[in-house]
Structure formats: C-alpha cells, structure tokens
Amino acid sequence: DTGVSQDPRHKITKRGQNVTFRCDPISEHNRLYWYRQTLGQGPEFLTYFQNEAQLEKSRLLSDRFSAERPKGSFSTLEIQRTEQGDSAMYLCASSLVRQLNTEAFFGQGTRLTVV
Amino acid sequence: AQSVAQPEDQVNVAEGNPLTVKCTYSVSGNPYLFWYVQYPNRGLQFLLKYITGDNLVKGSYGFEAEFNKSQTSFHLKKPSALVSDSALYFCAVRDSDTGRRALTFGSGTRLQVQP
C-alpha cells in the first residue's frame, strides 16, 4: 500500500495522559499536513511541514500539542495532558511540492477518545 | 480569511437521477477549490479541483464541478447517481494569494442515493 499510513487507528486514553500519533506520508511527498476532525464537522487544519520544517501552525495547536518531522519523512503528533475536548479524528495528509497546487492525499486517520 | 459553506446537511436523490451538492466560498484573493469524499471509517479521498482555466472541472467517478466566480460557488454534480455514491462530501478552499497552504473545509454534506 503506497498511501498515507497512520498509526494507531484508534487510541483510548485517560484524561491527563500523553499520546503520540505517527504518520507516514506517500513516498517522495515533501509536504505533510495534520488536521483534526470532530463529529459532524469538516477537518480543521492544525499544522504543516515542508520537508522537516514546520511552516504553518493553526491557533488550534495549543501548547499541549507538538508535531515533528525530524528527517523530512514520517511525522509525529503528540498531545500532552489530554483533555476530553481532544477527542477527535486526527488526519494526516501529504502532497508533492514540485507540482504546483497539487492536491493532498489523506490517511485513514487516528481516532482518539479521551475518557 | 477564507471560508466555505455547504448549506445542505443532507441531499437525497434516487439512483439514476442527477445530483448536485452545493458549495459556496469566501476568499480575499483567487480561490483554489477542492472536493473530497469520505466513506465510513475511511480517510478523505480527492475527487477534483479547480485551480485555473475551464470553469467546468471533471474528476473521479464521473463527478464534475462548476466554478462560478460571480456567485462564489463550486457545486459538485453528477449526471446519474449510483447507490455507491452515498457518502459524506466536503468542499475545501485555499486562497492562492496568501501563500498559506492550509485548506479550509466546509462542514460536509451527506449524500444518500436511494435504489
């Protein structure tokens, strides 16, 4: 499978715990995006990377959230001290920068439930 | 600021009939517009995009969309609906003049195609 891969697919955690999600983009895609989707809503942008550089962050990305892409390949999204409001689907997407305005391809997401 | 409105939460259509899913947008510059589809427990799948050129854009699975600048709309259409088209559809926009890469999504429209 050469699509965007996310791990885990589901995560249940207790409030206050830290969680980390991983995203493996499509090979050769140098842009990587994180979005969050809550029930009944469209995805909301969190952040994006070009290679290893984090170029844009949403105001939704509070201090408890941190994203990395250390080698310009896979990325991790960590949420510290989780809150019930963090329960959502976290979507990763990737795209190719050398083609202008190319569309982003999404993974299947990680569903986080904070209890 | 960029925004998208999908005025219908749900659209019902009989199989074989034409379908339209509505989308209007707001950007300060020139829009890049996208349609994605989401099946249950699946990630977002790209359908089509408008960047420049012809106002009628053709995409995957027989879908097309018409860009109307004066009405700031980008409605998704298909001449003959299939039961398998039943899914959640998202319109998204990016302002080409800001340099930002983040897509802003609408809240989605559930398409139900009845046999």
Side-chain angles (χ1 to χ4, degrees):
Chain A
D1 187 340
T2 57
V4 177
S5 176
Q6 292 189 244
D7 184 72
R9 293 289 310 280
H10 304 273
K11 177 72 177 178
I12 299 174
T13 190
K14 292 184 178 179
R15 189 172 49 188
Q17 297 294 305
N18 300 341
V19 294
T20 299
F21 310 141
R22 177 180 169 122
C23 171
D24 287 271
I26 294 172
S27 179
E28 297 183 349
H29 278 194
N30 36 19
R31 282 204 176 114
L32 186 148
Y33 312 79
W34 285 100
Y35 286 80
R36 182 176 72 182
Q37 185 178 20
T38 54
L39 203 60
Q41 299 297 319
E44 296 172 294
F45 171 77
L46 292 177
T47 187
Y48 101 90
F49 293 83
Q50 183 163 314
N51 300 315
E52 66 275 10
Q54 189 173 18
L55 297 185
E56 191 175 340
K57 292 197 292 186
S58 162
R59 287 175 292 179
L60 292 175
L61 212 66
S62 75
D63 291 345
R64 297 185 297 106
F65 287 70
S66 63
E68 295 183 343
R69 196 183 182 199
K71 296 183 180 179
S73 57
F74 74 92
S75 174
T76 58
L77 178 68
E78 181 184 16
I79 308 174
Q80 296 182 328
R81 306 180 303 281
T82 52
E83 302 171 356
Q84 286 190 321
D86 297 331
S87 296
M89 177 77 85
Y90 289 85
L91 297 169
C92 177
S94 68
S95 66
L96 191 58
V97 74
R98 69 168 180 261
Q99 294 177 10
L100 288 177
N101 310 313
T102 186
E103 61 274 14
F105 294 87
F106 282 80
Q108 294 190 47
T110 294
R111 182 169 296 283
L112 173 66
T113 302
V114 181
V115 298
Chain B
Q2 54 192 40
S3 65
V4 171
Q6 293 183 244
E8 301 154 317
D9 290 337
Q10 181 156 325
V11 170
N12 298 309
V13 64
E15 188 174 29
N17 283 359
L19 70 87
T20 298
V21 182
K22 295 179 180 178
C23 170
T24 58
Y25 66 90
S26 175
V27 295
S28 52
N30 291 304
Y32 293 156
L33 293 153
F34 303 81
W35 276 101
Y36 284 84
V37 60
Q38 188 173 39
Y39 296 98
N41 300 315
R42 301 283 297 277
L44 292 163
Q45 295 180 31
F46 170 76
L47 280 180
L48 50 81
K49 65 182 177 184
Y50 171 83
I51 302 299
T52 187
D54 289 341
N55 290 340
L56 186 63
V57 177
K58 294 188 183 297
S60 308
Y61 313 119
F63 285 93
E64 57 188 30
E66 186 167 11
F67 171 63
N68 187 317
K69 188 172 184 178
S70 62
Q71 296 185 5
T72 61
S73 67
F74 190 56
H75 301 331
L76 181 70
K77 300 182 180 184
K78 188 174 182 181
S80 178
L82 300 173
V83 173
S84 57
D85 293 330
S86 299
L88 192 53
Y89 290 80
F90 291 97
C91 181
V93 69
R94 181 167 73 81
D95 190 330
S96 67
D97 296 345
T98 64
R100 294 185 63 229
R101 304 301 303 184
L103 286 177
T104 297
F105 285 83
S107 56
T109 297
R110 185 166 300 281
L111 174 66
Q112 195 70 38
V113 182
Q114 285 117 7

